Coordinates of all heavy atoms in Angstrom, one line a residue:
D571 N 17.8 -2.4 16.9 CA 18.1 -1.2 17.7 C 17.2 -1.1 18.9 O 16.0 -1.1 18.8 CB 18.0 0.1 16.8 CG 19.0 0.1 15.7 OD1 20.0 -0.7 15.7 OD2 18.8 0.9 14.8
P572 N 17.8 -0.9 20.1 CA 17.0 -0.7 21.3 C 16.1 0.6 21.2 O 16.6 1.6 20.6 CB 18.0 -0.5 22.4 CG 19.3 -1.0 21.9 CD 19.3 -0.9 20.4
T573 N 14.9 0.5 21.7 CA 14.0 1.6 21.7 C 13.8 2.1 23.1 O 13.5 1.3 24.0 CB 12.6 1.2 21.1 OG1 12.8 0.8 19.7 CG2 11.6 2.3 21.1
Y574 N 14.1 3.4 23.3 CA 13.9 3.9 24.7 C 12.6 4.6 24.7 O 11.8 4.7 23.8 CB 15.1 4.8 25.0 CG 16.4 4.0 25.0 CD1 17.4 4.3 24.0 CD2 16.7 3.0 25.8 CE1 18.5 3.6 23.9 CE2 17.9 2.2 25.8 CZ 18.8 2.6 24.8 OH 19.9 1.8 24.7
T575 N 12.3 5.2 25.9 CA 11.0 5.9 26.1 C 10.6 6.8 25.0 O 11.4 7.6 24.5 CB 11.0 6.6 27.4 OG1 11.4 5.7 28.5 CG2 9.7 7.2 27.8
T576 N 9.3 6.8 24.6 CA 8.8 7.8 23.7 C 8.2 9.0 24.4 O 7.4 8.8 25.3 CB 7.7 7.1 22.8 OG1 8.3 6.0 22.1 CG2 7.1 8.1 21.8
A577 N 8.7 10.2 24.0 CA 8.1 11.4 24.5 C 7.0 11.9 23.6 O 7.2 11.9 22.4 CB 9.2 12.5 24.7
S578 N 5.9 12.4 24.2 CA 4.8 12.9 23.4 C 5.0 14.4 23.3 O 4.9 15.1 24.3 CB 3.5 12.6 24.0 OG 2.4 13.1 23.3
F579 N 5.3 14.9 22.1 CA 5.6 16.4 21.9 C 4.2 17.0 21.5 O 3.7 16.7 20.4 CB 6.6 16.6 20.8 CG 8.0 16.4 21.3 CD1 8.3 15.7 22.5 CD2 9.1 16.8 20.5 CE1 9.6 15.5 22.9 CE2 10.4 16.6 20.9 CZ 10.7 15.9 22.1
T580 N 3.7 17.8 22.3 CA 2.4 18.5 22.0 C 2.5 20.0 22.0 O 1.9 20.7 21.2 CB 1.3 18.1 23.0 OG1 1.7 18.4 24.4 CG2 1.0 16.6 23.0
N581 N 3.3 20.5 22.9 CA 3.4 22.0 23.1 C 3.9 22.7 21.8 O 3.6 23.8 21.5 CB 4.3 22.3 24.3 CG 4.2 23.8 24.6 OD1 3.1 24.3 24.8 ND2 5.3 24.5 24.7
C582 N 4.8 22.0 21.1 CA 5.4 22.6 19.9 C 4.3 22.9 18.8 O 4.6 23.6 17.8 CB 6.5 21.7 19.3 SG 6.0 20.1 18.7
F583 N 3.1 22.4 18.9 CA 2.0 22.7 18.0 C 1.3 24.0 18.3 O 0.4 24.3 17.6 CB 1.1 21.5 18.0 CG 1.6 20.3 17.3 CD1 2.4 19.3 18.0 CD2 1.4 20.0 15.9 CE1 2.9 18.2 17.4 CE2 1.9 18.9 15.3 CZ 2.7 18.0 16.1
G584 N 1.8 24.7 19.3 CA 1.1 25.9 19.8 C 1.4 27.2 19.1 O 0.9 28.2 19.4
G585 N 2.3 27.2 18.1 CA 2.6 28.4 17.4 C 4.1 28.5 17.1 O 4.9 27.5 17.4
Y586 N 4.5 29.6 16.5 CA 5.8 29.8 15.9 C 7.0 29.5 16.9 O 7.9 28.9 16.5 CB 5.9 31.2 15.3 CG 7.1 31.4 14.5 CD1 7.2 30.9 13.2 CD2 8.2 32.1 15.0 CE1 8.4 31.1 12.4 CE2 9.4 32.3 14.2 CZ 9.4 31.8 12.9 OH 10.5 32.0 12.2
N587 N 6.9 30.0 18.1 CA 7.9 29.8 19.1 C 7.6 28.8 20.1 O 8.4 28.7 21.1 CB 8.3 31.2 19.7 CG 9.0 32.1 18.8 OD1 9.9 31.7 18.0 ND2 8.6 33.4 18.8
S588 N 6.6 28.0 19.9 CA 6.2 27.0 20.9 C 7.2 25.8 20.8 O 7.5 25.3 19.7 CB 4.8 26.5 20.7 OG 3.9 27.6 20.8
T589 N 7.6 25.3 22.0 CA 8.7 24.2 22.0 C 8.2 23.1 22.9 O 7.6 23.2 23.9 CB 10.0 24.9 22.6 OG1 10.4 25.9 21.8 CG2 11.0 23.8 22.7
S590 N 8.6 21.9 22.4 CA 8.5 20.7 23.2 C 9.9 20.0 23.3 O 10.7 20.2 22.4 CB 7.5 19.6 22.5 OG 6.2 20.1 22.5
S591 N 10.1 19.4 24.4 CA 11.4 18.7 24.6 C 11.3 17.4 25.4 O 10.3 17.2 26.1 CB 12.5 19.6 25.2 OG 12.1 19.9 26.5
G592 N 12.2 16.5 25.1 CA 12.3 15.3 25.9 C 13.7 15.1 26.3 O 14.7 15.4 25.7
N593 N 13.8 14.5 27.5 CA 15.1 14.2 28.1 C 15.3 12.7 28.4 O 14.3 12.1 28.9 CB 15.3 14.9 29.4 CG 15.4 16.4 29.2 OD1 16.3 16.9 28.6 ND2 14.4 17.1 29.8
W594 N 16.4 12.1 28.0 CA 16.7 10.7 28.3 C 17.9 10.6 29.1 O 18.9 11.3 28.8 CB 16.8 10.0 26.9 CG 15.5 9.8 26.2 CD1 14.7 8.7 26.3 CD2 14.9 10.8 25.3 NE1 13.6 9.0 25.5 CE2 13.7 10.2 24.9 CE3 15.2 12.0 24.9 CZ2 12.8 10.8 24.0 CZ3 14.4 12.7 24.0 CH2 13.2 12.1 23.6
S595 N 17.9 9.7 30.1 CA 19.1 9.6 30.9 C 20.2 8.8 30.2 O 20.0 8.3 29.1 CB 18.7 8.8 32.2 OG 18.3 7.5 31.9
D596 N 21.4 8.7 30.8 CA 22.5 8.0 30.2 C 22.2 6.6 29.7 O 21.7 5.8 30.5 CB 23.7 8.0 31.2 CG 25.0 7.5 30.6 OD1 25.0 7.1 29.4 OD2 26.0 7.5 31.3
K597 N 22.4 6.3 28.5 CA 22.2 4.9 27.9 C 23.5 4.3 27.5 O 23.6 3.3 26.8 CB 21.2 5.0 26.7 CG 19.9 5.6 27.0 CD 19.1 4.9 28.0 CE 17.8 5.6 28.2 NZ 17.1 5.2 29.4
G598 N 24.7 4.9 27.9 CA 26.0 4.4 27.5 C 26.4 5.1 26.2 O 25.7 5.8 25.6
S599 N 27.7 4.8 25.9 CA 28.2 5.4 24.7 C 27.7 4.6 23.4 O 27.3 3.5 23.5 CB 29.8 5.3 24.7 OG 30.2 4.0 24.7
G600 N 27.7 5.3 22.3 CA 27.2 4.7 21.1 C 26.6 5.7 20.1 O 26.6 6.9 20.4
N601 N 26.2 5.2 19.0 CA 25.5 6.0 18.0 C 24.0 6.1 18.3 O 23.4 5.0 18.4 CB 25.7 5.5 16.6 CG 27.2 5.7 16.1 OD1 27.7 6.7 16.3 ND2 27.8 4.6 15.6
Y602 N 23.4 7.2 18.3 CA 22.0 7.4 18.6 C 21.3 8.1 17.5 O 21.9 8.8 16.6 CB 21.9 8.3 19.9 CG 22.3 7.5 21.1 CD1 23.6 7.6 21.6 CD2 21.4 6.8 21.8 CE1 24.0 6.9 22.7 CE2 21.7 6.1 23.0 CZ 23.0 6.2 23.4 OH 23.4 5.5 24.5
Y603 N 20.0 8.0 17.5 CA 19.1 8.7 16.6 C 17.8 8.7 17.2 O 17.5 8.1 18.2 CB 19.1 8.1 15.2 CG 18.5 6.7 15.1 CD1 17.2 6.5 14.7 CD2 19.3 5.6 15.4 CE1 16.6 5.2 14.6 CE2 18.7 4.3 15.3 CZ 17.4 4.1 14.9 OH 16.9 2.9 14.9
F604 N 16.9 9.6 16.7 CA 15.5 9.5 17.1 C 14.6 9.2 16.0 O 14.9 9.4 14.8 CB 15.0 10.8 17.8 CG 15.0 12.0 17.0 CD1 13.9 12.3 16.2 CD2 16.1 12.9 16.9 CE1 13.8 13.4 15.4 CE2 16.0 14.0 16.1 CZ 14.9 14.3 15.4

């Protein structure tokens, strides 16, 4: 399985409503997972 860029999620460790997110550009159609 191809591996795309890894995002480092740190902000979500800041408390109950703290959020981290990562965005990946179009890699074509197919089945994905993280």
